[in-house]
């Protein structure tokens, strides 16, 4: 058996999700755009999922656009809302690469981007945000919760600032969707990205919430599916699975969060007793499943490999950038020195984690940290 602590990277598909999807690969395989009865089954299944998901966000059915995942949703929000007249985006320096690389690419095409700094816990400064707005600003894109350090940004306060200034507000909610409550109306959100594979749904399916009245330029053109905003034959099994995953998340969120918070807090207290250890990100306003710690004198990659030998799976930095040995841009933005951020370990808990997993980690990790510190000639006790 293994202990999986990398649920922010991806989650296994829930067995009820898989069961709901299976008929749409075989018997109910029709193209939802066709007119005969098996196609109508596919169309109905999409409608049903769209309905469930829209209710979960307090949105309307026609405000949910299915995409291939969080990355595409972020691209559509950013690329679809910028124009020659409104050519400026405000974002933060700790966004996921799906936002940051898109911004860099837009800059190459002559658009302008302001990257807001964050404080030592990863929070943006609302005054700095307000002062960065110009008459050319099209969009503010600030993530709901950070994928590396779990910081939950004050998005309820960002929405009204954007509304007041007639600017669109996009939030990348890939890590928070299905984990903490989101109400797009109450939070004054215009655009929101979410992804299915982070909440026990299949990979390759996500959504962009687009508030009624917001005009987006499509980035994928073709047959006009998804209200003309995202063409391409719909991923029917994926959409069905995503809908089922949302249904389960909605049912289990409160109970699940209580469990995750208690396991998370127990682990954080345990880690903080290991000398020369630092918690990255805040204690309050933090995702209930996220832990990010640095152990002085320890290489994150070595730590992850030695944990792997014990069948404990965790990550250093975020999964999307772990193959790149540059220090994490998030840890750098909260003020860590490169040598410190190399020693970071991210644990993201999920519904498979039990007290047994935690006990195993508590037994194993201090031994590995001690071993790596002994091997490091530069580490001073
Ligand atoms: C905050 C955030 N945004 C976007 C993405 C990309 O989502 P996807 O893997 O569905 O493309 C991720 C994935 O880790 C993420 O954590």
């Amino acid at each position: 058996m293994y202990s999986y602590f990398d649920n922010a990277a991806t989650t296994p598909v829930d067995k009820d999700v898989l069961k709901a999807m299976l008929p749409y690969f075989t018997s109910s395989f029709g193209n939802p755009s066709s007119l005969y009865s098996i196609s109508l089954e596919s169309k109905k299944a999409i409608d049903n999922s769209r309905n469930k998901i829209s209710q979960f966000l307090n949105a309307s059915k026609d405000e949910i656009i299915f995409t291939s995942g969080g990355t595409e949703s972020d691209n559509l929000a950013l690329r679809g809302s910028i124009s020659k007249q409104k050519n400026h985006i405000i974002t933060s320096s700790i966004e996921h690469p799906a936002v940051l690389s898109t911004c860099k690419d837009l800059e190459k095409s002559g658009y302008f981007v302001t990257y807001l700094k964050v404080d030592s816990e990863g929070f943006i400064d609302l005054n700095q945000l307000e002062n960065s707005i110009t008459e050319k600003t099209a969009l503010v894109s600030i993530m709901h919760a950070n994928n590396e350090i779990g910081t939950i940004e004050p998005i309820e306060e960002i929405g009204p600032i954007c509304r007041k200034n007639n600017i669109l507000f996009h939030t990348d909610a890939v890590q928070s969707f299905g984990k903490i409550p989101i109400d797009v109306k109450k939070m004054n959100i215009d655009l929101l990205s979410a992804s299915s594979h982070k909440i026990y749904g299949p990979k390759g399916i996500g959504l962009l919430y687009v508030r009624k009245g917001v005009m987006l330029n499509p980035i994928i053109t073709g047959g006009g599916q998804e209200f003309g905003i995202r063409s391409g034959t719909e991923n029917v099994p994926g959409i069905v699975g995503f809908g089922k995953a949302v249904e389960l998340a909605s049912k289990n969120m409160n109970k699940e969060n209580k469990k995750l918070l208690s396991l998370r807090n127990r682990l954080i207290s345990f880690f903080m007793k290991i000398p020369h250890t630092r918690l990255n990100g805040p204690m309050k306003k933090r995702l209930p499943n996220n832990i990010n710690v640095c152990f002085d004198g320890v290489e994150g990659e070595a730590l992850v490999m030695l944990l792997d030998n014990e069948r404990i799976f965790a990550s250093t930095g975020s999964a999307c950038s772990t193959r790149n040995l540059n220090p994490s841009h998030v840890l750098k933005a909260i003020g860590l020195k490169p040598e410190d951020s190399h020693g970071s370990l991210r644990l993201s808990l999920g519904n498979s984690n039990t007290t047994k997993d935690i006990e195993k980690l508590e037994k194993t990790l201090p031994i590995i940290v001690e071993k790596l510190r002994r091997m490091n000639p530069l580490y001073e006790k």
Side-chain angles (χ1 to χ4, degrees), residues 264-278:
R264 183 199 77 179
N265 292 345
R266 169 176 166 171
L267 269 181
I268 291 180
S269 305
F270 180 83
F271 290 149
M272 289 307 109
K273 287 192 204 116
I274 300 176
H276 309 291
T277 300
R278 156 197 165 120

Side-chain angles (χ1 to χ4, degrees), residues 52-105:
K52 273 193 243 177
I53 297 176
S54 63
Q55 282 174 12
F56 183 62
L57 285 170
N58 192 22
S60 321
K61 249 168 68 172
D62 52 1
E63 293 177 316
I64 304 296
I65 308 298
F66 289 115
T67 65
S68 65
T71 302
E72 186 189 326
S73 301
D74 286 345
N75 267 267
L76 177 56
L78 270 65
R79 295 180 194 277
S81 54
I82 200 155
S83 68
K84 291 242 158 60
Q85 294 73 36
K86 291 264 188 183
N87 61 8
H88 176 227
I89 290 178
I90 300 171
T91 189
S92 83
S93 50
I94 61 163
E95 297 296 310
H96 187 271
V99 167
L100 287 181
S101 305
T102 306
C103 285
K104 293 282 170 223
D105 193 52

Side-chain angles (χ1 to χ4, degrees), residues 19-20 63 79 97 109 118 140 157 162 192 227 233 299 316 328 343-344 352:
K19 200 167 142 207
E63 293 177 316
R79 295 180 194 277
S109 308
V118 293
V140 169
E157 295 172 67
C162 294
L192 175 142
F227 313 104
T233 301
E299 273 294 324
T316 163
S328 142
S344 87
S352 70

Side-chain angles (χ1 to χ4, degrees), residues 8 69-71 74 96 98 143 147 172 174-175 195 197-198 320:
T71 302
D74 286 345
H96 187 271
M143 68 201 322
N147 48 304
D172 174 339
V174 168
Q175 291 293 340
S195 180
H197 73 102
K198 311 285 186 184
C320 312

